[in-house]
């Protein structure tokens, strides 16, 4: 075996750890009898009525369906809480670490049960029924978890909106899923600053007359404006709620949640996940990929506003009866040692974060890491974007003291859980590669014409068959679901990612091949940023592309054509940047704004993004054929104008 493999140290293996032999046995079982293999996952859940049917899938557009365990009845909150009460009532379910390092809390399964039951009754008391959509706009605090689980308990479908999104973005999501209840907090805290969550909701609701109630969690002592009849103080309303709310029996295929995510065109779409398949996949992958075992303290730094927070802060760990840490703050507050201090404080064994955080912390050198012990750590994880080998090695050597394996986990909002990843006790690692598909996952690489490519090759990443955690539809727009994922390569799910497979069969994700940006691990559509820019009165046209950024992975480069007579000043750049932040949220903040009197267009008026990408990347030696442009001279102007900007 070539020496670029990192072998997992022998002492990583504990009784119960899945080793190479065990992993191969799983693959063999899947190959021999897929249905029987999948049954193993379904059987890990606690059913109200057992399922008999395992899988019913066709990716053929004429006869499309995805159903898993579909005649069974269960409840997700019962799986995450009730079934653990007999053996784990006093075990910590959630460790909360506040933004302020002086604030932390341990919540046992018994306490979680009481909190969730009360909030489920609160939802019911405000008219929330099975199938209703509930929007949650919250900081990273246990209340967010309580309410997500309370929705699951009463059969309501939650739509969590990341706390960094703007009032406009919240409104768009509320209206799209027609939710008439919003849950928020008066304020959030991040890096010592307050986030005006309730005020943002108030602004959003100017556009949402359908919203009946706003339930307000009082996270800080700060006063907030109350709209009589509409706004409800959660702590007050809870006083009269009983701690007993029987879980709603849900069909396996009933919706569990909607999560909005950006695509290459149009507005963000509501990715819909259902009950049994999603939970079974979140639980299986959390156990397998993180070698999660009883007593482990596990910390995923993702915000619950993203899918990683759904599957790997909340549902996966709690379905497994685990202890999951929720961190409200940021990596550099009060100091850049914060992550490592939290690891020592709570004796964290498994740590899962994003490459962008690792790259940012790398800049501060080893000393802030080495000031901590981190002896409790046994496994590190990475998610959200490709991890460059330099960041991988730093993570491994400095954070993990060359002792902890790294699981580089590839997946998407749409996949519900991890699909390609090392299994730490079994898979030799290569820095920068997500290694191999988990058992049951069937990726393939195809060329532009849809021809399946064999062996060591590079192409577009597709999946030829379903897995239980797969999204089932785009909420309210099934045609868009089929169009987006199943029309590019008929009969396959197209991920939107490019990928290389090496001679060892290892997968190396190369990034999006569509117009989706990945900025600090956050997905953004170029079309979203463009439509925010053209909504400004000084702008006639905008084209947005990604370019390599040291910390963020990708930065946002905006080519902006101004209206006749408007001068492209630095002040206007600042104004446009603030405008986009206000329209979408700070994560969409442009890194570069380049005023462009003209954009490269074909004679039919289509913007040639390929050329704009090359200019932003500073790679102008080989622009390809530009003779088809309506006005090839704009290219030289753009190259000149780009100098010194990136
Ligand atoms: C990218 C986040 C390389 C990829 C879970 C995917 C990754 C998009 C990795 C999904 C990884 C995620 N290596 N790229 N380990 N993990 N990606 O929906 O481009 O926010 O399509 O889900 O992130 O982002 P999403």
């Amino acid at each position: 075996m070539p020496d670029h493999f990192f072998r997992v140290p022998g002492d990583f293996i504990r009784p119960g750890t899945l080793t190479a032999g065990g992993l191969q046995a799983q693959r063999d079982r899947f190959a021999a009898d897929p249905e029987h293999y999948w049954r193993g996952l379904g059987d890990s859940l606690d059913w109200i009525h057992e399922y008999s049917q395992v899988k019913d899938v066709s990716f053929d557009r004429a006869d499309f369906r995805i159903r898993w365990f579909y005649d069974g009845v269960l409840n997700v909150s019962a799986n995450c809480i009730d079934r653990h009460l007999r053996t784990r009532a006093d075990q910590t379910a959630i460790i909360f670490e506040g933004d302020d390092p002086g604030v932390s809390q341990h919540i046992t399964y018994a306490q979680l049960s009481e909190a969730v039951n009360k909030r489920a009754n609160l939802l019911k008391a405000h008219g929330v029924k099975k199938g209703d959509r509930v929007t949650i706009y919250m900081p990273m605090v246990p209340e967010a978890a309580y309410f997500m689980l309370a929705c699951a308990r009463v059969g309501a479908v939650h739509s969590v909106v990341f706390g960094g999104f703007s009032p406009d973005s919240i409104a768009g999501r509320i209206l799209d899923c027609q939710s008439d209840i919003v849950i928020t907090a008066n304020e959030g805290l991040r890096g010592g600053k307050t986030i005006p969550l309730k005020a943002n909701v108030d602004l959003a609701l100017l556009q949402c007359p359908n919203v009946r109630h706003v339930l307000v969690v009082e996270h800080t002592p700060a006063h907030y404006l109350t709209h009589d009849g509409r706004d409800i103080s959660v702590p007050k309303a809870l006083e009269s709620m009983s701690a007993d709310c029987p879980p709603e029996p849900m069909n396996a295929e009933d919706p569990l949640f909607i999560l909005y995510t950006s695509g290459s065109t149009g507005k963000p779409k509501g990715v819909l996940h259902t009950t049994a398949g999603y939970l079974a996949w979140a639980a299986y992958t959390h156990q397998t990929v993180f070698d999660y075992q009883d007593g482990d303290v596990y910390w995923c730094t993702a915000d619950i506003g993203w899918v990683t927070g759904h599957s790997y802060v909340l549902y996966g760990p709690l379905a497994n009866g685990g202890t999951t840490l929720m961190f409200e703050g940021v990596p550099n507050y009060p100091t850049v040692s914060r992550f490592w201090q939290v690891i020592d404080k709570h004796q964290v064994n498994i740590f899962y974060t994003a490459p962008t955080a690792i790259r940012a912390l790398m800049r501060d050198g080893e000393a802030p890491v080495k000031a901590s012990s981190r002896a409790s750590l046994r496994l590190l994880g990475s998610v959200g974007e490709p991890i460059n080998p330099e960041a991988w090695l730093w993570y491994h050597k400095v954070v993990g003291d060359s002792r902890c394996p790294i699981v580089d986990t590839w997946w998407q909002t749409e996949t519900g859980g991890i699909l390609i990843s090392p299994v730490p006790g079994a898979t030799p690692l290569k820095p920068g590669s997500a290694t191999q598909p988990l058992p049951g996952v069937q990726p393939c690489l195809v060329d532009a014409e849809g021809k399946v490519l064999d062996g060591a090759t590079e192409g577009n990443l597709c999946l030829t068959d379903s897995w239980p955690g797969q999204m089932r539809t785009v909420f309210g727009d099934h045609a868009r679901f089929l169009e987006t994922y199943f029309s590019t390569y008929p009969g396959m799910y197209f991920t939107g990612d490019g990928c290389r497979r090496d001679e060892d069969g290892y997968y190396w994700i190369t990034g999006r091949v569509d117009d989706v940006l990945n900025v600090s691990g956050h997905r953004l559509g170029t079309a979203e940023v463009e439509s925010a820019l053209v909504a400004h009165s000084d702008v006639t046209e905008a084209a947005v592309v990604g370019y390599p950024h040291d910390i963020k992975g990708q930065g946002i480069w905006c080519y902006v054509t101004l209206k006749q007579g408007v001068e492209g000043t630095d002040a206007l750049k600042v104004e446009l940047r603030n405008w986009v932040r206000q329209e979408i949220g700070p994560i969409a903040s442009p890194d570069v704004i380049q005023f462009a009197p003209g954009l490269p267009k074909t004679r039919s008026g289509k913007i040639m993004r390929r050329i704009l990408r090359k200019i932003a990347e500073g790679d102008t030696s080989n622009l390809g054929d530009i003779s088809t442009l309506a006005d090839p001279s704009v290219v030289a102007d753009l190259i000149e104008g780009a100098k010194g900007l990136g």
Side-chain angles (χ1 to χ4, degrees), residues 102-115:
V103 173
S104 62
Q105 189 190 354
H106 280 244
I107 298 135
T108 65
Y109 273 94
Q111 290 166 329
L112 180 65
S113 171
E114 180 179 337

Side-chain angles (χ1 to χ4, degrees), residues 261 307-308 383-386 408-414 497 509 512 518 521 523:
T261 194
V307 75
T308 310
V383 61
E385 49 176 320
D408 174 2
T409 62
W410 174 85
W411 59 296
Q412 314 177 291
T413 306
E414 293 89 336
D497 279 324
I509 308 296
R512 302 289 304 197
N518 192 327
R523 265 168 79 165

Side-chain angles (χ1 to χ4, degrees), residues 324-491:
T324 181
L325 192 147
M326 269 184 101
F327 176 45
E328 184 185 14
V330 292
N332 57 357
Y333 176 81
T335 72
V336 292
S337 286
R338 185 68 191 277
F339 272 178
W340 328 124
Q341 287 164 350
V342 173
I343 287 170
D344 284 352
K345 175 174 173 185
H346 298 293
Q347 292 295 293
V348 171
N349 308 115
I350 304 161
F351 179 66
Y352 188 31
T353 196
T356 186
I358 299 163
R359 287 192 298 264
L361 292 165
M362 250 173 101
R363 252 197 334 197
D364 297 304
E366 298 187 10
V369 190
K370 297 295 177 193
S372 64
S373 149
R374 289 158 289 103
S376 59
L377 281 179
R378 69 186 303 272
L379 177 64
L380 303 171
S382 171
V383 61
E385 49 176 320
I387 179 165
N388 46 314
E390 194 195 358
W392 194 104
L393 288 167
W394 189 84
Y395 197 25
H396 180 70
K397 287 197 181 125
V398 181
V399 177
D401 285 325
S402 304
R403 168 175 47 86
C404 307
I406 296 179
V407 286
D408 174 2
T409 62
W410 174 85
W411 59 296
Q412 314 177 291
T413 306
E414 293 89 336
T415 70
I418 297 164
L419 296 192
I420 303 181
S421 168
V423 171
T427 315
L429 309 172
K430 292 187 192 186
S433 170
T435 76
Q436 297 194 315
L438 293 174
V441 173
Q442 300 173 69
C444 76
L445 301 183
V446 298
D447 68 12
E449 281 71 50
K451 187 162 117 15
V452 174
L453 305 167
D454 293 325
T457 186
E458 185 162 348
N460 291 339
L461 179 63
C462 293
L463 293 141
T464 57
D465 201 351
S466 187
W467 61 99
Q470 184 170 24
M471 75 182 281
R472 300 298 196 262
T473 190
V474 170
F475 182 81
D477 199 348
H478 195 62
R480 188 173 177 197
F481 175 57
L482 300 183
E483 186 57 36
T484 308
Y485 303 103
F486 299 94
S487 71
T488 321
Y489 304 112

Side-chain angles (χ1 to χ4, degrees), residues 17 29 55 61 75 85 88 98 151 176 197 266 283 299 334 340 368 445 465 488 507 570 606 617 635:
T17 297
R29 277 209 304 282
K55 177 183 178 220
R61 287 186 71 173
N75 181 283
L85 290 177
R88 306 179 188 277
C151 285
D176 185 81
L197 296 173
W299 180 17
W340 328 124
L445 301 183
D465 201 351
T488 321
Y507 289 77
D570 283 347
K606 198 169 161 335
E617 284 165 9
V635 174

Side-chain angles (χ1 to χ4, degrees), residues 226-240:
T226 301
H227 293 240
D228 279 345
R230 188 194 76 184
D231 297 352
I232 287 142
S233 153
V234 166
K236 257 196 223 113
L238 282 177
E239 283 167 16
S240 56

Side-chain angles (χ1 to χ4, degrees), residues 103-424:
V103 173
S104 62
Q105 189 190 354
H106 280 244
I107 298 135
T108 65
Y109 273 94
Q111 290 166 329
L112 180 65
S113 171
E114 180 179 337
V116 170
N117 275 270
K118 284 189 169 179
R119 284 155 188 79
N121 280 324
L122 177 66
L123 292 174
K124 278 186 163 173
H126 290 89
V128 176
K129 305 176 307 297
K130 178 174 177 170
D132 289 354
R133 275 81 57 207
V134 173
T135 298
I136 299 182
Y137 182 68
M138 288 279 280
M140 269 297 281
V141 296
E143 285 284 353
Y146 300 162
F147 274 108
M148 288 165 79
L149 289 162
C151 285
R153 197 159 189 91
V154 304
V157 183
H158 59 67
S159 163
V160 180
V161 178
F162 172 59
F165 278 121
S166 68
D168 268 355
S169 299
I170 306 167
R173 286 157 170 78
I174 290 173
L175 292 171
D176 185 81
C177 73
Q178 305 132 32
S179 74
D180 59 5
I181 302 274
V182 179
I183 302 166
T184 190
N186 58 339
E187 285 184 337
L189 294 173
R190 269 173 76 83
K193 299 195 193 85
T194 57
I195 318 275
L197 296 173
K198 172 63 167 62
N200 286 347
V201 168
D202 287 343
L203 281 173
L205 294 195
L206 296 174
Q207 300 173 51
C208 308
N210 62 314
V211 171
R212 293 185 294 118
H213 287 300
V214 180
L215 308 183
V216 188
V217 168
E218 292 163 10
H219 178 50
T220 70
H223 175 76
Y224 58 96
L225 281 181
T226 301
H227 293 240
D228 279 345
R230 188 194 76 184
D231 297 352
I232 287 142
S233 153
V234 166
K236 257 196 223 113
L238 282 177
E239 283 167 16
S240 56
M241 293 298 144
S242 126
D244 180 21
C245 178
E248 185 73 29
M250 303 297 283
N251 179 269
E253 284 298 333
D254 281 335
L256 175 65
F257 67 83
I258 298 166
L259 189 56
Y260 285 86
T261 194
S262 296
S264 46
T265 56
K267 287 192 294 184
K269 45 186 177 291
V271 167
L272 184 115
H273 282 287
T274 57
T275 297
Y278 169 80
L279 191 67
W281 192 249
Y284 165 77
T285 51
H286 172 258
Q287 202 282 312
T288 304
V289 171
F290 300 107
D291 186 35
Y292 190 86
Q293 296 193 23
D294 271 357
D296 286 343
V297 176
Y298 161 91
W299 180 17
C300 165
T301 67
D303 191 282
I304 42 106
W306 309 112
V307 75
T308 310
H310 284 56
S311 302
Y312 298 112
V313 175
L314 196 63
Y315 289 120
L318 295 183
N320 290 330
T323 298
T324 181
L325 192 147
M326 269 184 101
F327 176 45
E328 184 185 14
V330 292
N332 57 357
Y333 176 81
T335 72
V336 292
S337 286
R338 185 68 191 277
F339 272 178
W340 328 124
Q341 287 164 350
V342 173
I343 287 170
D344 284 352
K345 175 174 173 185
H346 298 293
Q347 292 295 293
V348 171
N349 308 115
I350 304 161
F351 179 66
Y352 188 31
T353 196
T356 186
I358 299 163
R359 287 192 298 264
L361 292 165
M362 250 173 101
R363 252 197 334 197
D364 297 304
E366 298 187 10
V369 190
K370 297 295 177 193
S372 64
S373 149
R374 289 158 289 103
S376 59
L377 281 179
R378 69 186 303 272
L379 177 64
L380 303 171
S382 171
V383 61
E385 49 176 320
I387 179 165
N388 46 314
E390 194 195 358
W392 194 104
L393 288 167
W394 189 84
Y395 197 25
H396 180 70
K397 287 197 181 125
V398 181
V399 177
D401 285 325
S402 304
R403 168 175 47 86
C404 307
I406 296 179
V407 286
D408 174 2
T409 62
W410 174 85
W411 59 296
Q412 314 177 291
T413 306
E414 293 89 336
T415 70
I418 297 164
L419 296 192
I420 303 181
S421 168
V423 171

